[in-house]
Amino acid sequence: MQRLEHLQHLDKHLADELVQVARESVRAELREQTRGQRRKAALYAGSGAAALYAGAAVALAVGLALDLALPGWAAALITAVLLAALSFALRTAARPSPPGAAGASEAAPAAGPAPGTGPVPPVPSTPPTAGTAAPHPAPATDHDPRPGHS
């Protein structure tokens, strides 16, 4: 009986050592990965700062070029409007589209309201499956069924 308890104690000790070695190796691996990611993040931050200053220099050059033909206030105003339009376009491009709208927005015509925004309900993209009945549309009426509206 003592031998069995001794073996169980050895097994538990071995398992604890294996867990400790596994933890240390995982920590070392994560430390190495994060070191590379920190360096990459610092390089991206430096790149962003340089791009910010480059953009400011371009905006200044545009303003000074416009100042040759226009009064200073008009050149500054035109430059500000151009920068605002650029920031709006970049924000719109960066905004995620709702799920399922990627294919619909490419196929939608340029004119007219967006699907689902007008009084007409949106049409499903897939037909109903076999065995399911489509709901019958309500009969058309000339009055508003809400109370107080006629």
Side-chain angles (χ1 to χ4, degrees):
M1 189 72 174
Q2 270 186 336
R3 184 177 175 128
L4 183 61
E5 289 176 5
H6 181 67
L7 287 175
Q8 287 177 343
H9 176 71
L10 286 176
D11 285 347
K12 179 158 178 51
H13 183 68
L14 181 63
D16 289 343
E17 284 185 26
L18 286 173
V19 166
Q20 184 178 356
V21 168
R23 283 182 184 158
E24 289 174 4
S25 65
V26 167
R27 281 185 188 139
E29 180 70 26
L30 289 175
R31 194 174 299 124
E32 186 176 324
Q33 286 178 357
T34 56
R35 185 177 302 126
Q37 289 175 349
R38 280 192 306 244
R39 182 177 181 275
K40 190 184 295 187
L43 291 173
Y44 273 118
S47 170
L52 177 68
Y53 284 111
V58 168
L60 179 63
V62 167
L64 290 174
L66 288 172
D67 190 41
L68 295 175
L70 300 170
W73 65 268
L77 184 63
I78 291 172
T79 305
V81 168
L82 289 174
L83 288 173
L86 177 65
S87 70
F88 180 77
L90 290 173
R91 185 195 65 159
T92 303
R95 183 174 286 169
S97 60
S105 64
E106 294 170 0
T117 59
V120 179
V123 178
S125 60
T126 58
T129 58
T132 60
H136 295 289
T141 59
D142 290 339
H143 70 286
D144 191 349
R146 292 180 290 177
H149 296 87
S150 50

